[in-house]
Amino acid sequence: MKKILGFIMLSILGWSCGNSDQPAKLHVRLTDAPGDYQQVNIDIQQVEVHSESGNQTSGWKSLEVQRGIYNLLELTNGLDTLLATAELPAGRISQIRLILGNNNTIKVADVVNPLATPSAQQSGLKLNIQAELKEGVTYTILLDFDAARSIVKSGNGSYSLKPVIRAITEATSGAIKGSALPLEASPSVFAIVGSDTIASTYSDENGNFLLRAVPVGIYKVSFNPKAGYTNLVKENVSVTIGQITDLGTVTIF
């Protein structure tokens, strides 16, 4: 079997792996390449992410996951499935682990066989990622799962899963940040392409704003302040993958 790819989408609140108050977004999806088996069914029950600043006991955070049994061999030729989504505080994450249930099977020659996964059930499949997440930027974790090397057949005909997985993290968007003064103007802020609003936010009590998960491109950033102040537009604001475009201090009159 060729390699199985995965991207996981998750949703987290209240866990800190950095000093920023603005989260990054993480996506994980699952896909596969054709292989020699009829089915490889993986029972995914839990996903956890580890903050580099935490220890091996307290540094793990359980994520919200779409639990279920996934036949990896249905996810071929560019097809994939969404597992979960997450918002994570900006900062460095070091590991991700998948915890599997008991209903893992493999189908060979029209016979469905149990697929033993003792390590996954007890402590999870741990994968190193060592990724730096920036506030407001969207990321994808790509799990490169080599099933041909991961499924082992014993002499008695039983099968076990000893995963060989490579994890890659890549940014899929950028962000725009800055601060708006005076504080009393308290504008709403929009990233616009043509007549379409792509992202929007408000400045906070300190005047700071962050337009999150903005696709790569050139934008018009519009500031719509409270009554008594004049609308302001910044033209030709460029957004790059994995980068935060800083507009600095924007003064509204």
Side-chain angles (χ1 to χ4, degrees):
M1 177 187 293
K2 296 183 180 178
K3 293 181 177 177
I4 300 170
L5 307 178
F7 305 57
I8 299 180
M9 234 182 170
L10 318 154
S11 186
I12 311 173
L13 293 173
W15 176 57
S16 178
C17 59
N19 295 322
S20 173
D21 293 328
Q22 296 290 344
K25 183 176 287 186
L26 184 65
H27 291 184
V28 184
R29 306 184 71 87
L30 185 65
T31 187
D32 184 24
D36 297 331
Y37 308 106
Q38 292 173 287
Q39 294 179 6
V40 177
N41 300 304
I42 304 299
D43 182 6
I44 299 176
Q45 291 297 309
Q46 189 170 325
V47 177
E48 298 177 341
V49 175
H50 188 268
S51 167
E52 186 180 62
S53 61
N55 60 44
Q56 284 300 312
T57 300
S58 65
W60 292 98
K61 174 65 181 181
S62 295
L63 312 178
E64 295 182 10
V65 182
Q66 297 184 32
R67 295 180 174 89
I69 298 172
Y70 296 86
N71 177 11
L72 300 177
L73 300 187
E74 290 182 346
L75 306 174
T76 61
N77 298 321
L79 298 178
D80 59 53
T81 189
L82 175 64
L83 296 180
T85 62
E87 290 187 346
L88 299 171
R92 178 167 287 274
I93 54 176
S94 59
Q95 290 179 302
I96 187 171
R97 67 181 175 189
L98 311 180
I99 297 177
L100 306 186
N102 297 315
N103 297 316
N104 303 287
T105 59
I106 182 170
K107 186 176 182 180
V108 183
D110 296 327
V111 177
V112 177
N113 303 275
L115 183 60
T117 57
S119 63
Q121 293 165 3
Q122 294 172 13
S123 61
L125 308 176
K126 295 180 183 178
L127 312 172
N128 292 322
I129 43 182
Q130 300 299 337
E132 184 73 33
L133 306 183
K134 297 181 180 180
E135 59 177 357
V137 175
T138 300
Y139 295 85
T140 291
I141 291 183
L142 176 66
L143 302 179
D144 191 349
F145 190 132
D146 189 340
R149 297 167 56 198
S150 298
I151 295 175
V152 179
K153 184 179 181 179
S154 66
N156 63 8
S158 63
Y159 293 86
S160 61
L161 180 66
K162 296 183 178 180
V164 177
I165 307 174
R166 185 168 61 102
I168 304 167
T169 305
E170 59 182 14
T172 59
S173 82
I176 301 171
K177 74 174 183 178
S179 60
L181 294 177
L183 298 180
E184 292 76 17
S186 187
S188 51
V189 187
F190 305 89
I192 300 171
V193 175
S195 60
D196 296 328
T197 297
I198 306 302
S200 63
T201 189
Y202 292 90
S203 62
D204 64 17
E205 65 274 12
N206 297 312
N208 298 319
F209 63 88
L210 177 69
L211 291 162
R212 302 169 49 204
V214 181
V216 171
I218 305 297
Y219 293 86
K220 175 174 64 177
V221 179
S222 176
F223 298 83
N224 295 2
K226 290 183 176 179
Y229 295 89
T230 303
N231 289 0
L232 177 68
V233 174
K234 291 282 188 180
E235 301 280 357
N236 299 319
V237 176
S238 179
V239 174
T240 305
I241 285 181
Q243 300 299 316
I244 303 173
T245 300
D246 192 348
L247 297 183
T249 300
V250 178
T251 302
I252 298 173
F253 298 96

